[in-house]
Amino acid sequence: MRRGTVVRWAIAGAGAGIAATVWWWSDRAPYPYAQRRMLDMQLPFLTNHRLDALLGPRPGERVLEIGPGTGLQALHVAVQLGATGRLDIVDVQQPMLDHVMRRAAASRIDTIVPTLADAARLPFPDASFDAAYLVTVLGEVPDPAAAIGELGRVLRPGGRLIVGEYFDPHFVPLVTLLRYANAAGLTLGARLGPPLAYLAQLRRH
Ligand SMILES: C[S@@+](CC[C@H](N)C(=O)[O-])C[C@H]1O[C@@H](n2cnc3c(N)ncnc32)[C@H](O)[C@@H]1O
């Protein structure tokens, strides 16, 4: 093959590689329900045990989860809220909500309430929740700043918001999260995990 042809192929290959990388890292599509089995595994550093440590769910509380997926965290948290508590789950995909509700019914949990909605437009009045959390969700939301703003709005004063992020194409660095949080009247209370797999606790003023 002539040298000029080789160079042209090399440039075309490099361009395609860069385009694929940009697409991969900027993709914000919701996690596909068809790949739900992957969601049943706890990620290193983002375990339910660590979520408990920052969320501290108590009996009788009203808590909000954004993007429950198949319910890895939802079932675990709902049990801790007891019969007088309530866990609202919000997702943009009805199959995810249906999946969680089937699992809840199988476990005889009747305190989970599903709502089909976008995190950036939450259909709840101000100060409705004692706490809220979202794990590996924020980077999938097309307007993450608006979502954190909405979470700040629906939390009662003193309420806590836990955000879990993992190093994947949707990763939101802590410094970016804190920018959204400050604009929403939330401040960092605590953090667990390394910078690329963290759980952050934010507090509403
Ligand atoms: C990667 S899964 C995480 C599921 C679960 N939190 C876990 O850790 O296993 C992301 C979830 O967020 C939901 N999601 C994506 N964009 C959303 C949005 N704008 N508003 C609400 N939920 C959203 C997806 O449908 C999916 O259920």
Side-chain angles (χ1 to χ4, degrees), residues 94 99 190 200:
Q94 188 67 46
H99 192 105

Side-chain angles (χ1 to χ4, degrees), residues 60-182:
E61 284 193 320
R62 186 174 179 195
V63 175
L64 170 65
E65 175 172 7
I66 305 293
T70 55
L72 179 66
Q73 295 92 11
L75 301 181
H76 175 81
V77 170
V79 168
Q80 298 178 73
L81 301 178
T84 57
R86 166 172 162 164
L87 177 68
D88 285 82
I89 55 171
V90 165
D91 206 295
V92 279
Q93 300 190 81
Q94 188 67 46
M96 293 291 195
L97 295 171
D98 293 343
H99 192 105
V100 179
M101 296 313 289
R102 280 195 300 275
R103 288 184 70 186
S107 301
R108 297 180 187 280
I109 297 171
D110 61 4
T111 51
I112 300 181
V113 179
T115 301
L116 184 69
D118 188 321
R121 285 180 296 280
L122 294 175
F124 304 110
D126 296 358
S128 300
F129 296 95
D130 298 298
Y133 64 94
L134 59 166
V135 179
T136 62
V137 174
L138 190 61
E140 290 186 18
V141 180
D143 190 346
I148 296 297
E150 278 291 85
L151 283 158
R153 178 183 69 75
V154 301
L155 276 179
R156 65 164 176 75
R160 54 226 191 264
L161 169 64
I162 315 305
V163 181
E165 279 294 309
Y166 197 77
F167 190 64
D168 66 6
H170 304 119
F171 180 69
V172 177
L174 182 63
V175 64
T176 307
L177 172 65
L178 294 183
R179 195 155 38 81
Y180 302 151
N182 289 340

